[in-house]
Structures are given as C-alpha cells and as structure tokens.
Amino acid sequence: MRDPSAGPRVLLRRLRELMAEPLEPQDRLDRIVRQIAQNMVAEVCSFYVLRSDGVLELYATEGLNPGAVHLAQLKMGQGLVGTIAAGARPLSLSDAQSHPAFTYLPETGEEIYHSFLGVPILRAGRTLGVLVVQNKAQRNYRDDELEALETTAMVLAEMIATGDLKKVTRPGLELDLSRSITVEGDAYSDGIGLGHAVLHEPRIVVTELLNDDIDAELARLEESLDSLRISIDDMLSRRDVSMEGEHRAVLEAYRMFAHDRGWVRKLEEAIRNGLTAEAAVEKVQSDMRARMMHMTDPYLRERLHDFDDLANRLLRQLTGFNAKMQQENFPNSAIIVARAMGAAELLDYDRPKIRGLVLEEGSVTSHVVIVARAMGIPVVGQAAGIVSMTENGDSIISDGDEGQIHLRPVADLQDAYAEKVRFSAKRQEQFRALRAVEPVTRDGTKITLQMNAGLLVDLPQLEESGASGVGLFRTELQFMIASTMPKVEEQERFYRNVLKQSGGKPVTFRALDIGGDKVIPYFRAANEENPALGWRAVRLALDRPGIMRTQLRALLRATAGTELKLMFPMVAEIAEFRAARALISKEVSHLSRFGYDLPRKIQVGAMLEVPSLMWQLDELMVEADFVSVGSNDLFQFTLAADRGNARVSNRFDPLGRTFLRVLRQIVEAADARNTPVTLCGEMAGRPLPAMALLGLGYRSISMSPAAIGPVKSMLLALDVGKLRDVMLPALDDMEATYTVRELLSDFADANGIPL
Ligand code: PEP
Ligand code: MG
C-alpha cells in the first residue's frame, strides 16, 4: 500500500538538498518550484511573495510563462492568490475559472489550467506569501496533498525570513517582512528608547525542519508534552497561584489545551509528513493563528494567546532553550517586547542595557509598569499585535512620550529620534553637573528638594539626582509587587534596607495607601462604584488595624536607634489622624514591653489630600508634626476631576487661581504655626508649577528623581521675592484677563529663568 507521507518526505529531503547547494538565488527558487511540481504531479507550481506595499509578486514558477516572473502582481485580496493571502487560508478548487475571485493575468498563460490548490506561506501567524500548484485536468486535491503543500510552504517561509530573497528583489522594493510599521499604544512611562527588540518569551526559530526518523520525533514530542503537562500542574499547585482567580483560570486553560487530543493529533500528523517535532509545533500553531487572527470575539482571541504561549513553552521544552543563552546574546540597547510580564521578570534583565519596554497588554497601574517607571525605563503599553510583528533583533523605537512604537523604522525617522535622544542626554548631562550645587534661589532662599520613591531600585537615584532625602516613600508599591502579604520580618528587612541604601539621608515613609486604583492582588476588597472615594488608605487601616499594626511594628523596629518619619495618607478628619497616631503609641508600648529598642525620635505627619482638612487647618497644624500636601489627590477632589480619566484630568489647570488659593491657604496656616510643610504631588516636578509653589511660599517639595535637575536649574535663576510681588496680587484678581500660568511664563521669560 502507498504510504501517503512518502511523497512529502521525499520532497522535503530534496528541498533540503537544494537549500544547501551553492546556487544563485533565482536558480534555487526555479529549481524548488520545479521540484514541488514534479513531486505533486502538478503541471504548475508558483511562488508569490508579499511585498511591503501589499502586492504579491510572482517570484518563481514552473509551468506558467517564465517571462511573467517578477512582473505578474496581485494586490492583497485580489484574485485567488490575493484571497488566500488576505484570509490566510488555503483554497482548493477543481475549476478555478468559475471562482468569483478569479482574475486573469494574460502574461501568465494560466487559462488552460483548471484545478488549483494554493496555501498561504506563514510565519508566526503572518502571511509572507502564497504557494500554488495547478493542473490542466479538473481534479479535487486530497487532504494529504494540501497538508504536503502547507509543509512545503514552511520551508519557503524560512527562506523568506532569513533574507535569502533580498538578492532577487528588485531595487527600491521591499518584502513585507521587513516593512516598517508604526503601532499606536498608550504612554505609560516617559522617555524614548532606541535599540533592538528582545522578545521576552522568544519564539524559538526552528531551523531543523525535516526529520530523519519519524518514530524518534514522535517519541520526543510525547516526552516534551509530558514535561509540559507536569510543569503546568506544578504551577497550578504553587501556593501563590492557587489563590488567584485570573491567573488560575489561564493555567487551567493551558492544562486543558495540553491534553487536547485534536491538537496532539495534528502535531503527530505533521511529524508523519516529515517535519521535526519543533517544526510540527510551529506549523500547527501558525495555521491556527492565521485562522483565528480574524476573529473578533475577545474570548476566543484571548484563548489564541493562551495557545500561543503554550506552543512557545512546548518549543522551549523541545529545543532545551534556556534563558542564559538569551542573556548572552543580549543587545547593548535592548527594547523588551512582551505580551505581558511580571515585575520580577523585568528585574531579572541586565538593567543598564534596557532602553525600553513594550507591552501588548498592561495598564499604568500594573506592577511591571510601576517598576519600570521606578527604574526610569520608557514604557508603551496596549500595543496591539506587536509581539507577532516583531522578530528578535529588529530595530525598534519605543516612544514613551507619545505612546508609539516604530518597528524597523526608516533611516530618516531613526536619525530624527537619535537626535532627540542625544539632545535630552545632553540636558541630563547639564543637570548632573548641578548635582552638588546647593538649591538656593538667586535672592538667597534655601529650598529643600527631595525625591519620591517606593522601591529599592529607586534609591541609587538619591545619590545621582542630588536630592536631599526621600520626601515620599510609597510603601504600598512593595506590597503591590509581592505575591502574598509580606510578613513583619520581611517588611522590617525591607525598611532597614531602604534606610541603609539612603546612606543617612532622611526618608519619610508613608503608611500603606491601598484601595482605589492601588490594588493588592491578595487583598481583595469588595467592588466599589467609586473606589477613589471608597474604603481605602487610612480608612481601611483603621477598620482593619491588623495590617497597619504589622507595618508600624516593622517600621519601628527598622528605625530603632534613629528617627522614624511617618505620615498617613487620605486623612479626612482630625479624629482619623488621632486614631492612627494612637496605633503607633500602642505598638511602641508593645515593643518596649518585649524589650525592643525604639526609635530615638518619631515624627508623625498627615498628608493633606482630602479637601475637608482645609476647614481643620488650625487643629491639623497643631497636632501633626509635619504636613505633606498630596496635590494629585487634593486637586482631583477639589475640582471633582478623576486623575486617571484623561477626558477630565486636564480639564482644569492646577495653576488656575482656584487651586493656587487652596495651596496658599495651606502654606500660610503651616507658617503661622511653624509646622513643616512639603508638597509631594506631580506639580512639584515640573519647573513652571514648581516655580509657582515657591512663589506661594513652599520651601520644601518632593518629586520624581528625574525632575530634580530641571527644577533646580529653574530655582537657581529665580528671584523669589520678585516673583511673590507680582504673583500674589494676581491670585486675588478674579477680573483679570490673563491667567496665572501666562503671568508665570512671562515672568520666567523676562527674567531668563529656564523652564
Ligand atoms: C498625591 O496624591 O499627590 C500623592 C503624592 O500621592 P499618590 O500620588 O501616591 O496618591
Ligand atoms: Mg495621594
């Protein structure tokens, strides 16, 4: 009996020989199509390649008019070939001319061929071209012939991807695979990264396509599937996973797929047709991707992602890929491209070489984004389809200012960006030179510039930026990137480490500010309609004192013998501040009862970020050891404009008279009682608003480390007395036709203040 896989196996072996022979590229292509035609007993075999302008060009043919090579062209969606490419689906017809999409190209002389079998040439779900066989007689192609042609198409995909066709591509034209693409995403972390793409979970490039021994390959597949299933079971039984809803659901789906008989059968079939186990995985996955790409059902698309991940894991099992190899070939300027990623995984990379992070998913508040921002890495998120469009090593620009990604950018664009990066590096250089310069205004007022932080990775910046201390340490970040609630010892170790790395500069810790948009996966509060106004921060801490007391204990122990500076977020009533302070006293007596050393001094502050405190300013300034204005929240609540909602967050100006009056009232109340006041919201980090704050009377502000240089360079040139003289009266002039922002910017211009 005829072995249906013998044909494809012979063909694949012949193709392998042809690939290895020292031939001119066009000659090689001609022989390849001849070989395919012979093997498939077809009169015609044609090979079309997709160009970057969306045109499918005939690159080689056996049977059609040889003069049509490089001349016959079809647009995506045009004719049978264009239909196959656009739908990424094969087409099998016994009478091609009667198909509605049939387009007659006179130069090819194909009118005498009736039956037609065409398959897309796919790589990672992308269509790179089309492979066709034709016969004169009207006949129906069998399934095994279709399968054989698809397998052959993989070999051609590899040829296209490795750049073999460049030499036969006419000057000025480009293949689709190297097309430059711009993808719009969301800007999550400022800055521009220029470099080469590193796929976080790299697709394994399968180079050994053809097997020598079917049984041995089947056994390898079986073995790898077994280890894959075991590794999924392991992940499912891990403690941190079993608690989490979503993560668990994904893994459950993986487990189901890994046992899916249909999938395994397709893999085995591809191996029987002559592919290696790796190539079989790639082929089956590519087919599935191409077919599912066009689906709009979000559930199914999500499952496709899961299947992709699973296939990639299987490939890594089969090839024994290890992450070390990837690290060794890590480019000097790397832009990491991932579908999604955990924060810890980002920390595993060699930080100095990372220029950017691009995520297909993610949100501004996802942990990896928080960590990346802390590390000063530009991030673009929600970049649809970026993973499948990127090849490892592609040149790429990630623009975290505009939320754009330019993949394989043209030279002009690359030059423009390189210039931009050089310019900002030069400015950074100038700011670095100011590091050791005292922040004193031109008229001799000393200003305290501190930085905001939340992770250990932030702390080296204390030295680099020249900040005098940490004005806001957001302790919740550490809780957000952990997978379980950190125990008291862990927290203590962490805070000790923070203090050690701060090298004696003061650190103001903020007690846990969770709830609202700050989600901790292992602490699920009920769904709230208005989380920003909900059960959060100090409210939650007072209702569930266990969490807060653990944190206070850890902080007290970590600062034994030195000074603890601690503030509570989202205080709305003085009573809450008193209750929170009472918790500290409780912990102090608890610790001293058990013989622990205590801090030498404890300073307890309140954040002023809920407007109700404006009518309790006198009491607040007496009771709190210090006050820190959280202008991000204070602004959102004062103007009732959600800080996370782009449609309203820029609707009002923090430099408008209304909000500036609020800020002036706070600093005046603080000065009247000699209570230290700082402002630590985003306003403090931009030179113009920071100048306004100094004009109002603030003498201490805290900002992101990158902002210290620009703000310092502004204040060194500022005569703050002169500014007050023009600015303060303007706040009271509601009839004025000019805005305070305009006034400030004119003042800066007129006085040569860099902004
Ligand atoms: C603020 O609200 O201004 C602030 C500094 O705190 P966060 O941004 O963490 O809410
Ligand atoms: Mg806040």
Side-chain angles (χ1 to χ4, degrees), residues 472 474 510 513 518 607 609 630-633 643 680-681:
L472 165 65
R474 294 179 162 107
R510 173 171 77 185
D513 185 9
K518 292 166 181 158
M607 284 197 72
E609 47 186 357
S631 56
N632 304 338
D633 278 317
R643 63 193 263 190
C680 60

Side-chain angles (χ1 to χ4, degrees), residues 566-580:
L566 174 65
M567 59 189 181
F568 292 101
M570 295 293 295
V571 175
E573 300 229 312
I574 291 293
E576 289 174 317
F577 180 70
R578 288 186 193 131

Side-chain angles (χ1 to χ4, degrees), residues 32 43 55 71 167 177 252 254 266 284 343 347 371 463 505 544-546 568 584 664 702:
I32 285 174
E43 282 108 29
V55 168
L71 291 180
K167 289 196 202 101
L177 191 77
E252 295 279 14
Y254 281 8
K266 283 198 196 107
V284 170
L347 295 167
V371 173
E463 189 54 40
K505 289 186 177 177
R544 291 277 173 84
F568 292 101
I584 302 184
R664 177 175 61 178
S702 188

Side-chain angles (χ1 to χ4, degrees), residues 555-681:
L555 281 165
L556 286 164
R557 285 202 222 160
T559 49
T562 63
E563 180 182 1
L564 170 61
K565 280 191 88 175
L566 174 65
M567 59 189 181
F568 292 101
M570 295 293 295
V571 175
E573 300 229 312
I574 291 293
E576 289 174 317
F577 180 70
R578 288 186 193 131
R581 195 172 198 147
L583 284 181
I584 302 184
S585 309
K586 252 193 182 147
E587 275 314 306
V588 167
S589 33
H590 175 88
L591 287 175
S592 48
R593 211 169 38 245
F594 287 94
Y596 282 95
D597 280 348
L598 290 171
R600 205 169 18 80
K601 189 173 174 196
I602 303 174
Q603 296 271 334
V604 187
M607 284 197 72
L608 203 169
E609 47 186 357
V610 180
S612 58
L613 275 189
M614 295 303 294
W615 293 273
Q616 304 164 73
L617 281 177
D618 287 341
E619 295 89 337
L620 179 72
M621 295 303 169
V622 173
E623 298 215 13
D625 297 327
F626 64 95
V627 166
S628 185
V629 183
S631 56
N632 304 338
D633 278 317
L634 186 60
F635 184 72
Q636 98 161 331
F637 294 130
T638 303
L639 278 300
D642 183 350
R643 63 193 263 190
N645 177 349
R647 295 182 81 159
V648 293
S649 59
N650 293 322
R651 188 181 179 88
F652 306 106
D653 189 355
L655 295 187
R657 289 179 170 81
T658 317
F659 195 58
L660 289 181
R661 287 180 181 184
V662 173
L663 295 177
R664 177 175 61 178
Q665 205 177 329
I666 298 170
V667 70
E668 284 176 358
D671 288 350
R673 302 279 180 176
N674 269 329
T675 306
V677 62
T678 302
L679 187 142
C680 60

Side-chain angles (χ1 to χ4, degrees), residues 479 485-486 491 512 514 520 523 535 540-541 544-553:
F479 284 69
M485 183 73 83
Q491 290 188 47
L512 267 184
I514 48 173
I520 295 188
F523 184 84
W535 193 53
L540 193 154
R544 291 277 173 84
I547 301 175
M548 174 62 73
R549 286 191 60 177
T550 308
Q551 184 180 34
L552 294 177
R553 193 170 301 174

Side-chain angles (χ1 to χ4, degrees), residues 9-23 28 31-32 35 155 210:
R9 288 178 56 75
V10 172
L11 173 59
L12 292 178
R13 192 167 325 122
R14 264 307 287 147
L15 292 184
R16 177 156 59 177
E17 286 159 14
L18 277 175
M19 303 281 238
E21 272 178 50
L23 297 170
R28 192 193 315 277
R31 289 187 196 212
I32 285 174
Q35 195 59 242
V155 179
L210 314 173

Side-chain angles (χ1 to χ4, degrees), residues 11 16 41 80 99 177 222 234 269 310 356 376 393 455 468-469 505 580 582 596 692 741:
L11 173 59
R16 177 156 59 177
V41 201
L80 301 179
H99 191 280
L177 191 77
E222 186 61 37
D234 278 356
E269 214 167 272
L310 191 73
L455 295 168
S468 66
K505 289 186 177 177
Y596 282 95
R741 183 177 283 276

